Amino acid sequence: MTAISEVPAKWDEPAIRVLMMPRDTNGHGTIFGGVILSYIDQAGAIEARRQGLQYMVTVSMDKVVFHEPVFVGDLMSFWTETLRIGNTSITTKVVVEAIRAANPSERVKVTEAQVVYVNLGQDRRPAPIHRQANAYAES
């Protein structure tokens, strides 16, 4: 089994994949930025969980950049990486790629962001991060 300190900062697979649906569109026919932000938050939380956090809250999203529009039918992949693990917080980077429905051979970076999570204790207050073995660690 992989040692706790050896959980890699970056996966070789996306944290999540989502197919964009018509319910997620804005008045311009593209996907709402808020929908993408929600998935970014989920993907970053999966990365934080992989690094040992159990209970956490999102405290900030920084450097959010929307590079390209997202369309109905695009398959979105949310790639995550741990940038920093502090005493009570963890910073993750999420890069979002779209495989275009209209051209499945086209892969486009559409969004990226950094997300900071704070580890919580049972009292719901910030607590030190105690990294532990988990099912997300590669064996």
Side-chain angles (χ1 to χ4, degrees):
M1 174 157 229
T2 303
I4 296 166
S5 62
E6 295 177 14
V7 174
K10 195 170 187 177
W11 278 359
D12 60 355
E13 64 185 20
I16 58 175
R17 281 200 166 130
V18 182
L19 183 65
M20 294 292 98
M21 303 299 285
R23 69 176 176 262
D24 299 323
T25 58
N26 58 31
H28 301 289
T30 58
I31 304 301
F32 275 114
V35 169
I36 296 168
L37 290 175
S38 174
Y39 287 122
I40 286 171
D41 193 17
Q42 289 179 44
I46 289 168
E47 177 63 22
R49 168 77 59 90
R50 186 174 79 92
Q51 294 295 346
L53 278 68
Q54 290 185 0
Y55 303 103
M56 69 197 91
V57 292
T58 307
V59 294
S60 72
M61 273 195 187
D62 191 20
K63 300 179 183 168
V64 178
V65 180
F66 294 96
H67 298 287
E68 298 283 336
V70 178
F71 304 101
V72 171
D74 285 354
L75 178 61
M76 307 285 287
S77 296
F78 294 77
W79 300 88
T80 60
E81 178 180 0
T82 297
L83 297 179
R84 180 184 172 280
I85 299 175
N87 225 11
T88 61
S89 68
I90 184 168
T91 303
T92 66
K93 180 177 181 178
V94 181
V95 175
V96 187
E97 287 183 341
I99 296 175
R100 298 293 192 196
N103 182 2
S105 65
E106 184 181 7
R107 188 180 296 253
V108 180
K109 180 165 77 169
V110 293
T111 310
E112 60 185 313
Q114 289 184 17
V115 189
V116 178
Y117 302 90
V118 168
N119 188 50
L120 298 178
Q122 290 186 0
D123 61 356
R124 302 280 183 194
R125 308 275 307 152
I129 295 171
H130 299 291
R131 296 182 73 193
Q132 55 189 352
N134 61 67
Y136 299 99
E138 292 83 15
S139 50

